[in-house]
């Protein structure tokens, strides 16, 4: 029977398909499946005790304020704490350049709302973060994609893409979701230079930057851009920088931040007023209470240690069980690695069999906005414990060997 809503959906909903990732996450709800599909942090590292204490302190000392409406740009002490942290990492900003959002996902949506007109071209690396595509599709974005390799977006191919006049460049420089690769310093500099030459601003999405297990810290694109433009490193405003508490504290509190020039913050604040007025005051105050004495610096060390062990186990087990025709990335941090199947093999076929054998991953195709990548797969190593990783990877290796032997 026809419902009264059927013909009333806005045009924008035509491109609002549910993300493949969300659909696949449903698979993880089967209790006996080993899932490398979701992008979930390890639950074992959530600082439950610190949260319990912080909740108590906030309610005891600032209860009425915590339960009241708050300002749209966010709780000032939290924004000041983030500004101090940013300055330590070379991003020379004040709290006036910072707005708190309910997750970086919301920041991506607001960026779409504030900047994207129907038909605008956004320059992205391919593969790129599916959540950004999902947010921006609703605003009618089209994508110019630049392929990436083990050193991130191939900036040799960037100039050509820039000639078509994109609205902005969207880049994930550290341990990228989905591929796990990191943009090299040389390419970061080239990106900044070309963006300047073509007058195109950059959105830098950096949820994983602090989760490096090996290799040297590389300056964020925003820092290199500031050095390039202002000489003294003060914030030049060409890069909007996003980061989140989801991967360094807990995703359930839905707390992230956006660094932008003040005039952009003003627009974003208006977008946020229309969306949710402000991010939960209570959550912001609790996160500030947890973080204010430097707890996060110690806590990220534990996360790095845990994820590095899990990545190592995954890599070792892949080496042991995967057929030699399959290749994969070696991420220096973050939560994901990327499998590359032989040309012509479809990861969706692998997934169908894998799910029957009770192991899941995310197929790589949907992360490529203009198609391709059917032979790729994303594997998450942060969520499962080492034994589960071993068992899951050995099952997956078995499936892959079987399919390759059968010429699939
Ligand atoms: C690249 C990237 N951007 C944004 C997000 C969204 O993060 P949040 O939990 O802060 O909404 C994620 C989450 O996985 C991500 O990988």
């Amino acid at each position: 029977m026809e419902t009264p809503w059927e013909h009333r959906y806005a045009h924008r909903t035509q491109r609002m398909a549910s993300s493949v990732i969300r659909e696949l996450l449903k698979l993880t709800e089967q209790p006996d499946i080993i899932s490398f599909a979701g992008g979930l942090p390890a639950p074992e590292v959530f600082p439950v005790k610190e949260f319990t204490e912080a909740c108590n302190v906030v309610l005891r000392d600032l209860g009425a304020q915590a339960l009241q409406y708050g300002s749209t740009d966010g709780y000032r002490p939290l924004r000041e704490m983030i500004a101090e942290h940013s300055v330590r990492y070379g991003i020379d900003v004040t709290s006036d350049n910072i707005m708190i959002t309910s997750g970086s996902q919301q920041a991506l949506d607001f960026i779409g709302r504030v900047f994207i007109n129907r038909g605008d071209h956004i320059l992205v690396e391919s593969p790129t973060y599916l959540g950004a595509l999902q947010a921006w599709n609703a605003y009618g974005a089209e994508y110019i994609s630049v392929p990436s390799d083990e050193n991130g977006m191939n900036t040799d191919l960037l100039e050509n893409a820039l000639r078509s006049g994109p609205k902005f460049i969207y880049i994930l420089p550290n341990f990228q979701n989905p591929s796990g690769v990191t943009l090299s310093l040389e390419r970061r500099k080239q990106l900044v230079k070309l963006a300047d030459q073509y007058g195109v601003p950059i959105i830098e999405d950096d949820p994983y930057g602090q989760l490096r297990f090996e290799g040297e810290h590389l300056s964020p694109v925003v820092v290199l851009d500031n050095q390039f433009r202002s000489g003294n490193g003060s914030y030049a405003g060409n890069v909007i920088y996003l980061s989140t508490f989801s991967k360094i504290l807990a995703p359930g509190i839905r707390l992230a931040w956006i660094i932008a020039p003040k005039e952009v913050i003003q627009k974003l604040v208006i977008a946020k007023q229309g969306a949710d007025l402000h991010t939960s005051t209570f959550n912001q105050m609790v996160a500030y209470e947890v973080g204010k004495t430097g707890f996060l610096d110690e806590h990220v060390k534990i996360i790095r240690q845990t994820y590095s062990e899990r990545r190592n186990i995954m890599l070792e087990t892949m080496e042991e069980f995967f057929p030699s025709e399959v290749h994969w990335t070696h991420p220096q941090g973050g939560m994901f690695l990327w499998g590359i199947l032989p040309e012509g093999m479809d990861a969706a076929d692998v997934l169908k069999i894998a799910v029957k054998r009770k192991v899941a991953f995310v197929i790589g195709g949907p992360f490529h906005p203009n198609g391709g990548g059917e032979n790729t797969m994303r594997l998450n190593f942060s969520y499962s414990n080492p034994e589960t990783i071993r068992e899951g990877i050995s099952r997956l290796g078995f499936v892959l060997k079987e399919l390759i032997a059968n010429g699939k």
Side-chain angles (χ1 to χ4, degrees):
M1 211 180 76
E2 196 174 295
T3 75
W5 305 110
E6 227 160 275
H7 301 294
R8 289 167 204 269
Y9 293 114
H11 294 313
R12 80 179 69 86
T13 62
Q14 285 165 9
R15 286 185 63 196
M16 283 169 67
S18 167
S19 115
V20 185
I21 293 197
R22 290 271 139 218
E23 292 302 310
L24 280 167
L25 280 177
K26 289 185 191 152
L27 292 174
T28 65
E29 284 159 18
Q30 298 178 28
D32 52 349
I33 202 154
I34 296 179
S35 181
F36 302 126
L40 305 183
E44 298 87 349
V45 299
F46 291 152
V48 177
K49 183 169 80 57
E50 286 74 10
F51 265 93
T52 311
E53 283 161 14
C55 286
N56 286 336
V57 171
V58 167
L59 287 171
R60 190 191 63 210
D61 298 346
L62 299 159
Q65 192 188 347
L67 300 177
Q68 188 54 281
Y69 284 115
S71 68
T72 304
D73 52 0
Y75 182 50
R76 182 167 285 280
L78 181 67
R79 287 191 291 125
E80 279 166 0
M81 186 176 95
I82 293 167
E84 271 169 37
H85 168 88
S86 307
V87 170
R88 257 173 58 202
Y89 278 82
I91 312 172
D92 187 10
V93 287
T94 70
S95 57
D96 291 339
N97 296 107
I98 294 170
M99 183 175 93
I100 304 293
T101 57
S102 304
S104 279
Q105 190 60 39
Q106 188 183 50
L108 291 168
D109 181 47
F110 290 165
I111 285 168
R113 216 176 277 207
V114 164
F115 291 112
I116 300 178
N117 289 321
R118 183 155 297 280
D120 276 351
H121 285 83
I122 312 301
L123 196 155
V124 299
E125 52 201 311
S126 183
T128 190
Y129 174 53
L130 196 55
L133 301 179
Q134 202 189 6
W136 297 339
N137 284 346
Y139 299 103
E142 304 290 338
Y143 304 97
I144 309 166
S145 45
V146 176
S148 49
D149 57 24
E150 62 281 5
N151 290 313
M153 178 193 267
N154 186 341
T155 43
D156 288 343
L157 305 174
L158 182 59
E159 186 151 17
N160 205 20
L162 281 167
R163 285 203 186 97
S164 57
K167 194 113 202 209
F168 56 77
I169 301 167
Y170 174 59
I171 190 93
L172 301 101
N174 294 312
F175 332 118
Q176 201 242 29
N177 180 2
S179 69
V181 302
T182 293
L183 188 67
S184 68
L185 185 60
E186 199 188 322
R187 286 187 176 179
R188 287 174 198 228
K189 288 183 178 162
Q190 206 180 349
L191 167 70
V192 162
K193 209 166 126 224
L194 284 170
D196 178 67
Q197 198 176 321
Y198 283 83
V200 180
I202 299 172
I203 310 285
E204 178 175 22
D205 190 0
D206 188 24
Y208 308 105
Q210 289 192 60
L211 305 184
R212 177 180 277 283
F213 335 132
E214 66 180 46
E216 262 179 45
H217 168 78
L218 298 179
S219 286
V221 173
V222 61
V223 171
L224 297 171
D225 185 88
N226 295 344
Q227 285 165 359
F228 183 82
R229 279 164 191 271
S230 63
N232 62 9
S234 62
Y235 183 49
N238 191 49
V239 180
I240 292 181
Y241 176 89
L242 318 181
S243 196
T244 177
F245 287 105
S246 287
K247 318 296 157 128
I248 52 173
L249 211 46
I253 56 170
R254 308 307 301 129
L255 219 52
W257 65 96
I258 180 163
I259 295 179
K262 285 181 205 164
E263 88 258 17
V264 176
I265 294 285
Q266 277 170 16
K267 292 274 188 220
L268 292 166
V269 161
I270 295 166
K272 191 164 168 64
Q273 278 165 1
D276 64 355
L277 296 182
H278 63 81
T279 294
S280 153
T281 321
F282 180 66
N283 289 6
Q284 292 185 71
M285 291 173 88
V286 169
Y288 172 68
E289 188 60 35
V290 170
K292 73 178 187 194
T293 51
F295 166 77
L296 275 167
D297 286 343
E298 289 310 307
H299 187 58
V300 290
K301 289 184 193 156
I302 297 170
I303 302 177
R304 284 189 208 123
Q305 171 77 23
T306 309
Y307 291 6
S308 144
E309 273 168 25
R310 292 179 181 197
R311 179 210 56 176
N312 291 346
I313 300 271
M314 189 171 267
L315 288 173
E316 281 160 23
T317 324
M318 287 170 90
E319 204 64 60
E320 192 176 339
F321 292 103
F322 272 26
S324 60
E325 291 86 348
V326 176
H327 301 282
W328 52 89
T329 57
H330 182 113
Q332 296 186 320
M335 303 185 0
F336 304 105
L337 64 78
W338 190 239
I340 303 146
L341 306 172
E343 205 60 53
M345 193 168 173
D346 192 339
D349 293 336
V350 180
L351 183 62
K352 277 182 215 138
I353 316 264
V355 167
K356 287 191 191 139
R357 303 271 163 76
K358 302 286 180 202
V359 56
F361 58 86
V362 179
I363 55 170
F367 296 92
H368 299 73
N370 296 322
E374 287 77 12
N375 64 328
T376 55
M377 57 208 273
R378 189 191 75 177
L379 296 170
N380 166 273
F381 54 77
S382 56
Y383 179 67
S384 308
N385 66 41
E387 281 139 71
T388 313
I389 292 177
R390 244 191 106 70
E391 175 58 30
I393 292 294
S394 68
R395 286 184 201 174
L396 194 53
F398 187 76
V399 171
L400 288 168
K401 278 186 180 150
E402 205 174 52
L403 282 171
I404 287 176
N406 292 336
K408 283 278 177 163

